[in-house]
Amino acid sequence: MRSVYLDHAATTPLHPEVSSLMGEFMREIFGNPSSLHSFGREARKWMEEARQKVANLIGASAEEIVFTSGGTEADNLAILGVALSRSEKGRHIITSSIEHHAVLDTCKFLAKKGFEVTFLPVDRYGIIDPDDVRKAIRKDTILITIMHANNEIGTIEPIEEIGKIARDHGIIFHTDAVQTAGKIPVDVNTLNVDLLSLSAHKIYGPKGVGALYVRKGVRLEPILHGGGQERKYRSGTENTIGIVGFGKAAEIAARDLDQEFSRTKRLRDKLIRGIFEKIPDVRLNGHLKQRLPHNANFSFFGVEGESLILSLDLQGIAASSGSACSSRSLQPSHVLAALGLPYEWIHGSVRMTLGRTNTESDIDYVLEVLPDIVARLRSFSPLARKLQA
Amino acid sequence: MYSEKVMAHFRNPQNVGEIPDASGVGEVGNVICGDILRVYIKVRDNVLEDVKFMTFGCAAAVASGSMTTVLAKGRTIEEALQITKKTVAEALGGLPPHKRHCSNLAADALRKAIEDWKHKEARTVS
Ligand SMILES: Cc1ncc(COP(=O)(O)O)c(C=O)c1O
Ligand SMILES: [Zn+2]
């Protein structure tokens, strides 16, 4: 059977150059980068090269990169780190209602511990109004954390402008760039950010490794204490194999960014056009233009998302859904809910995210298979009948 | 995640559709997850001559709708009332714990359809 992977926002396969480098490193180099002897120095050399490559991807300098166990830890370190180091100055944090749970739940945790959090709304395309950020700022605001682009709907936020507002007010600004780095240009100076989260497995690197960019001069309390690695920001012997893979992945992502951007965007646009041509009562969630090039998020009226995902899976197509039934928690997507989407449409949402593995014929195949799946599920949906009536 | 039986019923659900001249209809909506399931019954001489279902729901809802109609079809009203969420789940070879309530809809909708029929019967008799 054909196999079409359309879930690159969830994770990506290792790039062959990444896996071969990791293999080589893992076979030959085992030293602890903190050791003074030649074994340690060799490992450190590889790790520092990787740090430079990750820094290059986002226009930072190597000393500003703190390796972590992934995007989740980077988000936690940024938010908890600022909260712990600045709680004397204030206890107010501004974020949005569409953040990834790594940010959202960390902010909610702080709200339970005596901090105050403002969750900004979004418009129906998922865009945060910088003016809302400005208005939410108080004397005791210590941190603004707003994602660069959303992982479900792909909406790109006006980070540059929000960053400027934060800087004018002397407030630390963090952005979660897990979904954007390597996909669209990310430059920490253009974006006016102080802290920025990255994850390797979204850019054809290994799982379980990521980084937090920490602008020079920004103070942060560590959340992991111990041996003082990563300039004391993150204790624990570094995941050298993962970090080396992350470095390679970052290098390739930067090298191929323009090409992959246009390639995935062209295929994605073809997918959207085809679906609108072939399937009635469908909507595209998110913004038409201010959107990641490889993201599409549809809602098919009268069809439940998990049923759709499983039907696609039976045909070899991998996608994901924001419906309550498709999540372990049985919570419908908080992102689609924040758009003001009625539950019937949230229930029928499907995200398709393209990447390196996809070809033109993948899209043709999806366009061939999907209309029948939707029609079949609608044939026994009481809601779809209502629509026809 | 799902058992073979659940997937078989999901791939090829039995008794889907409407019964235009149904003796009773029962619809259950799930406020927690948003699934909706509707059961139609056709009763003759106290027997469920035909049972059909429609759903706006996940695989657990589809499979349990299918299994419930299979279990109920051809049964007497009394027998059909013995069909519970538990019977349906067992007949499907079990369901993941977090999917349990999606699969409860079908037995509830069947019961509602039978109640609907009883109400109508009571009215025609009197
Ligand atoms: C926007 C965003 N932030 C954070 C994460 C978490 O990253 P990781 O899986 O590396 O912990 C993800 C990935 O799921 C994401 O999409
Ligand atoms: Zn369900």
Side-chain angles (χ1 to χ4, degrees):
Chain A
M1 192 177 52
R2 261 201 93 110
S3 158
V4 176
Y5 186 71
L6 288 177
D7 208 8
H8 291 83
T11 196
T12 56
L14 283 184
H15 191 286
E17 288 180 51
V18 171
S19 63
S20 76
L21 186 73
M22 285 174 75
E24 183 190 332
F25 177 84
M26 142 169 46
R27 276 188 300 274
E28 320 220 330
I29 291 147
F30 71 91
N32 184 329
S34 297
S35 302
L36 288 176
H37 47 61
S38 63
F39 294 85
R41 289 201 307 273
E42 182 67 9
R44 175 156 296 273
K45 192 185 110 230
W46 281 73
M47 189 170 82
E48 294 313 320
E49 274 171 25
R51 196 186 305 279
Q52 185 60 57
K53 286 170 179 167
V54 171
N56 291 346
L57 179 65
I58 56 169
S61 53
E63 318 85 72
E64 294 172 311
I65 300 298
V66 175
F67 286 119
T68 66
S69 66
T72 300
E73 192 194 322
D75 286 340
N76 274 263
L77 174 57
I79 297 165
L80 298 176
V82 171
L84 290 171
S85 79
R86 304 206 121 197
S87 59
E88 303 293 307
K89 293 201 180 71
R91 301 190 138 237
H92 179 237
I93 295 169
I94 299 171
T95 187
S96 85
S97 45
I98 61 163
E99 298 297 312
H100 188 273
H101 280 293
V103 167
L104 212 53
D105 292 6
T106 307
C107 287
K108 285 181 183 164
F109 166 76
L110 285 174
K112 273 194 291 188
K113 299 285 174 189
F115 286 78
E116 276 183 76
V117 183
T118 301
F119 297 92
L120 295 176
V122 294
D123 71 9
R124 62 203 178 101
Y125 304 108
I127 294 177
I128 293 148
D129 185 347
D131 249 359
D132 285 348
V133 178
R134 201 192 315 270
K135 285 181 208 143
I137 291 174
R138 316 191 316 206
K139 268 213 223 54
D140 60 341
T141 305
I142 50 168
L143 172 70
I144 299 173
T145 170
I146 291 182
M147 70 200 318
H148 191 191
N150 182 267
N151 46 301
E152 291 185 36
I153 53 176
T155 300
I156 302 170
E157 302 299 341
I159 294 305
E160 210 177 306
E161 222 180 315
I162 297 170
K164 194 162 176 311
I165 294 168
R167 189 152 300 166
D168 288 347
H169 288 81
I171 299 166
I172 295 187
F173 182 40
H174 165 250
T175 194
D176 177 333
V178 165
Q179 291 289 341
T180 52
K183 308 289 163 64
I184 59 173
V186 173
D187 183 288
V188 292
N189 294 315
T190 316
L191 291 177
N192 301 314
V193 297
D194 300 307
L195 302 162
L196 180 144
S197 301
L198 298 170
S199 177
H201 74 98
K202 310 284 186 183
I203 59 166
Y204 308 91
K207 294 165 188 40
V209 57
L212 181 67
Y213 156 79
V214 184
R215 184 177 291 280
K216 246 174 248 142
V218 170
R219 276 199 47 236
L220 210 59
E221 215 38 74
I223 54 175
L224 292 180
H225 303 269
Q229 288 88 346
E230 297 297 293
R231 297 190 344 277
K232 294 208 171 67
Y233 284 126
R234 204 273 185 182
S235 284
T237 300
E238 292 90 342
N239 170 8
T240 51
I241 300 168
I243 287 169
V244 164
F246 186 14
K248 190 70 190 172
E251 179 185 47
I252 298 168
R255 181 188 78 198
D256 297 352
L257 191 141
D258 290 347
Q259 189 193 323
E260 273 305 293
F261 180 100
S262 6
R263 206 184 66 85
T264 53
K265 184 171 184 300
R266 193 179 61 76
L267 294 178
R268 192 274 314 267
D269 289 345
K270 175 183 165 130
L271 176 71
I272 294 176
R273 263 198 318 277
I275 284 180
F276 273 85
E277 269 165 29
K278 296 187 169 204
I279 304 176
D281 303 314
V282 54
R283 53 166 292 150
L284 181 73
N285 301 314
H287 197 275
L288 209 56
K289 295 220 170 70
Q290 223 161 298
R291 178 181 205 113
L292 290 174
H294 58 290
N295 171 292
N297 189 308
F298 305 99
S299 283
F300 300 95
F301 191 84
V303 171
E304 191 280 324
E306 191 215 59
S307 284
L308 200 47
I309 296 306
L310 285 177
S311 304
L312 284 166
D313 188 46
L314 289 168
Q315 308 273 5
I317 301 168
S320 67
S321 169
S323 90
C325 293
S326 64
S327 79
R328 290 213 148 254
S329 61
L330 280 176
Q331 293 297 310
S333 153
H334 66 285
V335 175
L336 298 176
L339 303 182
L341 217 57
Y343 102 90
E344 293 95 330
W345 287 98
I346 299 177
H347 215 39
S349 73
V350 171
R351 177 186 75 177
M352 297 181 171
T353 44
L354 285 71
R356 280 182 184 273
T357 72
N358 299 125
T359 61
E360 185 102 28
S361 73
D362 283 355
I363 305 304
D364 291 331
Y365 177 64
V366 173
L367 292 174
E368 185 188 311
V369 167
L370 185 59
D372 290 345
I373 291 175
V374 173
R376 184 183 91 90
L377 295 173
R378 278 180 177 165
S379 73
F380 53 79
S381 165
L383 241 61
R385 288 292 166 91
K386 242 179 239 168
L387 199 72
Q388 282 157 17
Chain B
M1 171 175 104
Y2 287 122
S3 71
E4 286 287 322
K5 272 217 181 104
V6 170
M7 285 311 286
H9 277 269
F10 173 65
R11 269 199 300 269
N12 192 15
Q14 305 298 299
N15 309 309
V16 291
E18 295 162 306
I19 301 177
D21 56 340
S23 326
V25 182
E27 181 173 299
V28 179
N30 191 325
V31 284
I32 302 172
C33 72
D35 284 350
I36 297 172
L37 197 143
R38 194 187 292 165
V39 167
Y40 299 82
I41 55 171
K42 180 94 190 143
V43 184
R44 182 183 295 178
D45 300 335
N46 205 45
V47 170
L48 295 179
E49 196 181 61
D50 198 8
V51 187
K52 282 198 185 327
F53 83 102
M54 301 271 280
T55 189
F56 169 47
C58 60
V62 174
S64 61
S66 174
M67 183 53 89
T68 302
T69 57
V70 167
L71 291 174
K73 212 166 160 174
R75 300 299 168 115
T76 63
I77 294 291
E78 290 69 33
E79 286 168 342
L81 283 170
Q82 301 296 311
I83 299 170
T84 63
K85 312 161 198 224
K86 206 159 156 266
T87 354
V88 176
E90 275 165 13
L92 284 170
L95 281 145
H98 69 288
K99 282 291 173 177
R100 199 100 6 108
H101 79 263
C102 299
S103 66
N104 291 345
L105 296 174
D108 290 345
L110 173 66
R111 190 144 309 152
K112 265 197 162 177
I114 293 174
E115 270 166 34
D116 182 44
W117 166 76
K118 280 185 177 164
H119 274 293
K120 284 181 184 155
E121 279 294 282
R123 253 180 281 144
T124 39
V125 171
S126 62

